[in-house]
């Protein structure tokens, strides 16, 4: 009585609140159906769909009330079931199938079936007659339409809509009819002949309708294919083993193939996720055990509930294709793929080591914030369970992200510019995962930096044995990685200092070796005859750029001669360009974060982080890292290529001279304009010469010092929280 007054009061005051209220009651019916069963008389009139609401709201309302009815039928007595069968409930549920969409139809059919085949329902009741007549009517209509045309997009939309409704209703009836815990002995007939509508019965319902769905899947228009896929998935929910038969027949491969419509692929991904979710609910709710106990006596051997893992195993066979669809041009397909992968990960049906690189690659989906957010949530969950695994796969994820962007754009980028902010902040696409899972652990972040910087080291090795990889393509990857390292959201000075330290190690070993290789090459071509080149000044090849007319310079003309090995020069310049990128990165990090030369030289990665390295100075506006390399894009003729190679060669030698001499004055490759900084006046002194002399501290001094240092760090963090 109180609930009736409550509903009437809300409904009378504000109709929009009615849907929300019924939704809340639906939650109660899921948890405790007995609480709602005594109030069905108040709720059932809403199934007539004449509540004065908008069409969308009426659909939601009917769907919720139908769901409540299905949940409460389990706890109704014989008199209650008899009263429902004698009322207009069955008629109202049938009328819902004529008015609304697939979701509402599904709930209405489930409720009608639960009422028609309840243990207290008498044979030949109104509800049983209604559902049988409904199945026969829609099967007859679909059977009549099967040979009308191969492309239903060319006929009237009303006819096409009625056909799709027929497939939906038949699929929902098959889902309820086959999902009774008893395994059917018949196998699906995918390519079999259809029976006449007069021969349709409950015994041959599943097989007959599945053949009908398979036939309509072969039609040419995508909307009919989607309706057929949805209907077949309803059968899979009722009989999971039929999904295995369809897999063996190649039907699932046809649904996800490249030739399939994107809308069909999207529908399949949604259906598969729904199948997995329902199977998960069946197991967790205990229904699977009850059904298994019910049929155990009828089974002699074998897995008593193989359906729980069968579906996941079948979908797992298509994991490679699902990974490919993660890079689809369609945003809705990418979202569906992430949702499906999340379901597979949660149920333990897929290897996290394989999924992680693709989830990391989706962090570079600059078109969809939803995709990035969903993928990040899955990465955080997996990182909390398997932090070591995530750390090991980040480098592979960076490569995969590059490959994904390379398919869509000739210039992949690892940075995003937040235009919503006033200063248009620059952010790395891997910044969130770095902050959440890597930054807080010293060993994890150092290992990540080593792995990423190792790509530059591998590029410059001589023992790559002429691998079948394009050096220009690999340089594009290095440009992408350099952007990642330049714009990660660092929190302390120790992070960029470690990168600078590793770059110095790479340059000291590989930079000099490349210098020697270039010198030997030019000596063999007699373009540069200085045998004892110590790179203290520009050589004659660098002087080409400073001439009045470089195009007519003698050295450039010789390089464009057929006798000159321009291919070998290109390989050497490619290796040098890898070192150029890390030297640029070193200069960028030092300038952006105000790291002095002395501070970089005194940093040792194995030592405990010093107090001076806990803070970090940020610029007011983060500049963009320049990762552009000339001469390795589109080929515009040998003249331009040779000139760009000389440019890269000259920059490499200049940066090497700069790095060796530690002299950064009047450097033509570095801007010496100081950056505006946040709270620069409050920054701690950077050089050891400016620090006060050490004195022996008492215990109280030590604690006071630690507290003040923590306060200063918190103050800097609050002011410098740029990212």
């Amino acid at each position: 009585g109180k609930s009736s007054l409550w509903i009437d009061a809300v409904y009378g005051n504000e109709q929009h609140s009615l849907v929300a209220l019924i939704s809340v009651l639906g939650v109660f019916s899921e948890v405790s159906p007995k609480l709602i069963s005594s109030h069905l008389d108040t709720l059932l009139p809403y199934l007539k769909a004449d509540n004065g609401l908008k069409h969308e709201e009426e659909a939601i309302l009917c769907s919720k009330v139908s769901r409540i009815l299905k949940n409460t039928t389990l706890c109704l007595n014989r008199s209650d079931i008899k009263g429902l069968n004698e009322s207009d409930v069955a008629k109202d549920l049938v009328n819902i199938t004529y008015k609304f969409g697939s979701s509402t139809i599904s709930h209405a059919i489930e409720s009608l079936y639960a009422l028609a085949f309840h243990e207290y329902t008498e044979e030949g009741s109104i509800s049983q007659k209604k559902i049988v007549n409904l199945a026969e009517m829609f099967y007859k209509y679909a059977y009549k339409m099967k040979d009308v045309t191969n492309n239903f997009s060319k006929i009237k939309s009303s006819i096409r809509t009625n056909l799709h409704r027929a497939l939906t209703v038949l699929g929902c009836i098959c889902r309820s009819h086959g999902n009774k815990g008893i395994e059917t002995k018949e196998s699906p007939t995918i390519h079999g002949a259809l029976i006449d509508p007069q021969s349709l019965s409950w015994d041959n319902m599943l097989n007959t309708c599945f053949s009908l769905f398979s036939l309509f899947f072969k039609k040419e228009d995508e909307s009919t294919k989607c309706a057929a896929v949805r209907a077949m998935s309803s059968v899979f929910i009722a009989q999971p083993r039929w999904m295995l038969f369809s897999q063996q027949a190649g039907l699932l491969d046809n649904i996800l193939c490249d030739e399939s419509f994107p809308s069909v692929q999207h529908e399949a991904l949604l259906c598969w996720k729904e199948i997995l979710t329902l199977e998960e609910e069946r197991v967790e709710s205990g229904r699977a055990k009850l059904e298994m106990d019910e049929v155990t006596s009828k089974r002699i051997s074998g897995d008593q509930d193989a359906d729980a893992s069968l579906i996941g195993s079948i979908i797992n066979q298509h994991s490679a294709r699902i990974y490919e669809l993660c890079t689809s041009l369609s945003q809705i397909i990418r979202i569906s793929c992430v949702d499906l992968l999340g379901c597979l990960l949660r149920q333990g049906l897929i290897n996290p080591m394989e999924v992680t690189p693709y989830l990391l690659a989706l962090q570079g989906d600059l078109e969809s914030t939803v995709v990035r957010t969903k993928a990040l949530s899955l990465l955080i969950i997996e990182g909390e369970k398997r932090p070591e695994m995530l750390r090991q796969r980040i480098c592979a994820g960076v490569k995969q992200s590059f490959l994904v962007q390379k398919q869509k754009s000739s210039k992949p980028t690892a940075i995003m510019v937040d235009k919503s902010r006033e200063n248009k902040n620059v952010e790395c696409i891997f910044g969130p995962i770095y902050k959440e899972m890597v930054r807080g652990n010293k060993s994890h972040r150092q290992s990540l930096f080593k792995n990423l910087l190792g790509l530059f080291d591998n590029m410059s090795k001589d023992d790559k044995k002429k691998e079948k990889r394009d050096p220009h393509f690999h340089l594009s990857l290095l440009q992408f990685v350099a952007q990642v390292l330049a714009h990660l959201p660092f929190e302390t000075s120790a992070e960029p200092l470690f990168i600078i330290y590793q770059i110095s190690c790479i340059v000291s070993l590989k930079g000099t070796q490349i210098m020697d290789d270039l010198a030997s090459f030019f000596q063999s071509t007699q373009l540069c005859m200085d045998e004892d080149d110590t790179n203290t000044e520009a050589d004659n090849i660098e002087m080409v750029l400073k001439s009045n007319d470089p195009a007519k310079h003698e050295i450039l003309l010789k390089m464009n001669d057929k006798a000159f090995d321009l291919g070998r020069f290109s390989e050497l310049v490619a290796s040098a360009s890898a070192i150029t990128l890390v030297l640029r990165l070193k200069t960028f990090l030092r300038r952006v974060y105000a790291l002095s030369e002395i501070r970089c030289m005194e940093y040792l990665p194995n030592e405990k982080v010093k107090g001076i390295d806990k803070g970090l100075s940020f610029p007011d506006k983060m500049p963009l890292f320049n990762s552009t390399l000339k001469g390795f894009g589109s080929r515009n003729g040998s003249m331009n290529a040779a000139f760009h190679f000389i440019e890269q060669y000259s920059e490499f030698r200049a940066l090497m001279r700069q790095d060796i001499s530690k002299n950064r004055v009047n450097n033509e490759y570095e801007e010496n304009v100081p950056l505006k900084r946040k709270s620069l006046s409050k920054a701690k002194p950077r050089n050891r010469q400016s620090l006060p002399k050490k004195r022996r501290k008492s215990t109280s001094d030590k604690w006071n010092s630690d507290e003040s240092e923590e306060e200063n760090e918190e103050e800097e963090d609050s002011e410098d929280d740029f990212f």
Side-chain angles (χ1 to χ4, degrees), residues 493 592-594 615-619 677-680 683 686 716 720:
S493 300
V592 167
Y593 297 111
L616 191 62
S617 175
F618 293 93
R677 303 192 169 275
K678 294 184 178 182
S679 64
L680 190 60
R686 299 293 183 183
E716 286 187 2
D720 295 340

Side-chain angles (χ1 to χ4, degrees), residues 273 276 319 322-323 326 334-347 350 355 358-359 362 378 382:
K273 178 178 179 290
L276 288 172
S319 58
I322 296 174
Y323 297 151
C326 286
R334 299 198 299 272
I335 294 175
S336 301
C337 284
V338 175
D339 290 337
L340 179 59
L341 290 175
C343 190
L344 291 169
L345 285 171
R346 186 178 65 252
Q347 299 182 17
I350 199 168
V355 181
Y358 294 93
L359 294 178
L362 290 175
L378 295 179
E382 291 302 316

Side-chain angles (χ1 to χ4, degrees), residues 37 40 69 72-78 80-81 84 118 120:
S37 59
L40 277 180
L69 175 60
T72 54
T73 52
L74 300 175
C75 57
L76 296 179
N77 55 35
R78 188 180 299 273
D80 293 332
I81 295 297
L84 289 175
H118 195 276
Y120 295 143

Side-chain angles (χ1 to χ4, degrees), residues 269-535:
L269 294 171
L270 292 178
C271 292
W272 290 4
K273 178 178 179 290
E274 181 183 5
I275 295 173
L276 288 172
T277 303
L278 291 174
E279 191 66 23
E280 182 181 11
E281 293 176 356
R282 187 179 74 92
V283 173
E284 292 183 350
S285 65
R287 295 201 311 271
K289 186 176 185 303
L290 294 176
E291 294 169 1
M292 183 179 65
D293 294 340
E294 182 181 350
V295 300
T296 297
S297 59
K298 300 182 180 181
R299 290 182 178 177
I300 299 176
S301 62
D303 189 357
Q304 300 299 326
D305 190 38
D307 295 345
S309 57
L310 178 62
I311 296 176
S313 300
I314 295 172
I315 296 178
N316 195 17
Q317 294 183 23
H318 297 272
S319 58
R321 179 56 180 163
I322 296 174
Y323 297 151
E324 292 179 6
L325 291 176
C326 286
T327 64
S328 171
L329 297 178
S330 173
Q331 178 179 337
I332 59 173
I333 290 182
R334 299 198 299 272
I335 294 175
S336 301
C337 284
V338 175
D339 290 337
L340 179 59
L341 290 175
C343 190
L344 291 169
L345 285 171
R346 186 178 65 252
Q347 299 182 17
L349 298 174
I350 199 168
N351 187 357
M353 291 285 286
E354 296 179 358
V355 181
T356 300
Y358 294 93
L359 294 178
L360 287 167
L362 290 175
Q363 296 303 297
D365 190 345
L366 305 180
E367 300 175 359
S368 176
T369 305
V370 177
V371 174
R372 291 200 308 271
T373 304
K374 287 178 175 289
L376 178 62
S377 300
L378 295 179
L379 287 170
I380 292 175
I381 293 173
E382 291 302 316
E384 292 174 349
K385 295 187 291 187
R386 308 173 183 87
E388 190 67 21
M389 179 274 298
L390 180 63
R391 179 185 62 82
Q392 293 174 355
R393 303 301 288 168
I394 287 182
C395 191
V398 172
K399 293 181 181 179
Q400 190 64 37
S401 179
F402 166 77
L403 293 175
V404 170
Q405 291 196 33
K406 192 70 174 177
Q407 296 175 358
K408 301 177 181 179
S409 173
S410 59
K411 295 182 179 180
T413 177
I415 57 177
M416 298 181 296
V417 179
D418 189 356
K419 298 181 179 179
S420 62
R421 299 185 183 182
E422 183 178 354
N423 54 0
K424 297 183 180 180
N425 284 356
V426 178
E427 300 177 357
C428 176
I429 59 177
F430 299 103
I433 193 66
Y434 176 79
K435 286 192 292 186
E436 294 288 341
M437 306 306 304
V438 179
R439 189 170 67 182
N441 189 297
K442 178 181 177 181
S443 61
H444 286 183
R445 65 174 183 257
Q446 289 187 355
S447 178
L448 172 64
F449 296 154
K450 285 182 180 179
N451 290 336
L452 293 178
L453 289 171
L455 298 174
F456 297 88
D457 191 4
N458 294 335
M459 179 66 187
S460 59
K461 287 183 178 179
D462 288 334
D463 57 352
K464 52 180 177 289
K465 298 179 181 180
K466 304 292 183 180
E467 295 180 9
K468 295 181 180 180
R469 69 179 183 189
D470 185 2
H472 311 300
F473 180 84
H474 191 66
L475 273 179
S476 298
L477 171 61
L478 297 185
Q479 291 173 276
F480 184 83
V481 174
Q483 289 181 344
V484 172
L485 291 169
H487 293 289
L488 284 175
F490 301 129
E491 188 177 39
T492 65
S493 300
E495 297 164 74
L497 283 172
F498 181 82
I499 296 177
I500 292 173
Y501 175 86
Q502 290 297 125
I503 290 175
S504 299
C505 295
I506 294 174
V507 172
S508 62
L509 293 175
K510 302 302 176 182
T512 306
Q513 178 182 346
I514 295 173
M515 291 276 293
D516 295 339
D517 292 341
L518 284 167
S520 300
F521 172 74
F522 284 125
Q523 288 175 15
S524 64
T525 58
Q526 297 182 353
L527 290 180
C528 183
M529 301 304 296
D530 189 357
E531 298 181 359
D532 298 325
D533 184 15
T534 58
N535 195 24

Side-chain angles (χ1 to χ4, degrees), residues 577-589:
S577 297
I579 303 301
T580 297
L581 284 172
V582 294
L583 287 173
R584 283 188 194 172
L585 178 60
K586 180 178 179 179
T587 301
F588 178 84
L589 294 176

